[in-house]
Amino acid sequence: MAKESKSFFWASYADLMTSLFFVMLTLFIVVIIALNNARIDAIEQTAELQAKIDKADEINNATRELDTQHSQYFQYFPEFKKHKLAVTVSFRSGSADMNSLPSSTKEDLRTTGKILQDFIIKTTQSNPHIQYLLIIEGQASKDGYAYNYELSYQRALSLKKFWEDNGLNFNDKNCEVLICGSGDGRLSGTGLMRESTEVLNQRFLIHILPKPGKIGD
């Protein structure tokens, strides 16, 4: 009787161990499959992310065409990620009147606007999911005028209106326009992007920033 009990115990024990083995084996296979699927997903997500990064870099680098192909109108400052309109603008002190500028200056500003518009159209046509944020920044020289910060904004706004009057409207589904003025540098304390010759600080800076949504092929 004792031998039968022992035989039954070991038989049951062997069955239990066999069952546990198959349970552990099943769990091991499930974990391996899950880890493999996670690895595949991670590889796909990494590849997708890299594709987006590459596309964003391509779009960002495309803005460099403005100074490489049109250096007479644009100068790029990589440390500030801004373009300066390489057009000498000499407003009267306290003035933001575009009509007071020489005809040659207005023609150069009209040309820069056309170059910007053509660039945005060309880029967004190749990838319609791309949008741009175009920031027009006005500056002023230190000439003793008390409201140069307000004035620099008014000058940037005048440039936007000047472009619109000449059929160059950037506010559409592919481009958002912001107007800002950085004054005469009195409040910056660093003289960022200031010219040593004060009259040359009567100028415009352009920030053209891509805003990718869904990155297409």
Side-chain angles (χ1 to χ4, degrees):
M1 190 71 176
K3 289 183 178 180
E4 290 181 0
S5 297
K6 289 182 177 179
S7 297
F8 178 76
F9 170 79
W10 287 113
S12 299
Y13 182 78
D15 289 342
L16 178 61
M17 290 299 101
T18 302
S19 298
L20 288 174
F21 171 77
F22 280 111
V23 169
M24 295 301 295
L25 179 62
T26 301
L27 290 175
F28 177 75
I29 293 173
V30 169
V31 170
I32 291 298
I33 293 174
L35 289 175
N36 187 59
N37 290 338
R39 183 181 65 85
I40 293 173
D41 289 343
I43 292 174
E44 291 176 348
Q45 291 175 7
T46 300
E48 182 180 354
L49 178 61
Q50 186 60 52
K52 290 182 178 180
I53 292 174
D54 292 342
K55 193 66 177 179
D57 287 342
E58 177 186 339
I59 295 165
N60 275 312
N61 291 333
T63 62
R64 295 301 309 278
E65 291 182 9
L66 293 174
D67 60 301
T68 57
Q69 298 183 12
H70 305 284
S71 58
Q72 70 272 39
Y73 296 111
F74 296 92
Q75 182 181 356
Y76 184 67
F77 292 82
E79 64 271 33
F80 302 110
K81 300 186 183 304
K82 298 180 184 181
H83 285 86
K84 179 186 76 173
L85 295 193
V87 178
T88 301
V89 182
S90 297
F91 287 102
R92 296 191 304 270
S93 179
S95 173
D97 183 10
M98 296 292 292
N99 292 324
S100 68
L101 299 178
S103 298
S104 57
T105 300
K106 290 188 286 187
E107 182 59 34
D108 286 341
L109 291 174
R110 187 180 297 110
T111 299
T112 60
K114 184 64 168 61
I115 292 171
L116 279 172
Q117 185 184 62
D118 290 346
F119 167 79
I120 292 172
I121 291 174
K122 173 186 173 183
T123 308
T124 54
Q125 281 180 343
S126 63
N127 194 324
H129 299 291
I130 298 301
Q131 295 180 333
Y132 279 101
L133 174 63
L134 176 63
I135 303 175
I136 304 173
E137 176 184 343
Q139 290 193 329
S141 58
K142 293 181 180 179
D143 55 6
Y145 185 67
Y147 301 101
N148 270 329
Y149 281 89
E150 294 85 347
L151 180 62
S152 62
Y153 173 86
Q154 290 297 328
R155 287 173 174 173
L157 184 60
S158 294
L159 178 60
K160 177 179 180 291
K161 290 180 178 178
F162 172 79
W163 280 339
E164 289 174 348
D165 291 343
N166 284 272
L168 304 170
N169 192 344
F170 298 95
N171 267 320
D172 59 22
K173 64 180 180 179
N174 290 322
C175 185
E176 177 185 0
V177 178
L178 294 181
I179 306 300
C180 72
S182 55
D184 57 16
R186 283 176 296 167
L187 299 183
S188 68
T190 58
L192 293 178
M193 288 193 72
R194 302 290 299 177
E195 300 286 351
S196 57
T197 303
E198 272 302 320
V199 69
L200 297 179
N201 289 310
Q202 295 188 35
R203 61 182 183 179
F204 299 104
L205 304 179
I206 295 294
H207 317 239
I208 181 165
L209 308 173
K211 302 192 303 178
K214 178 181 177 183
I215 301 293
D217 296 327

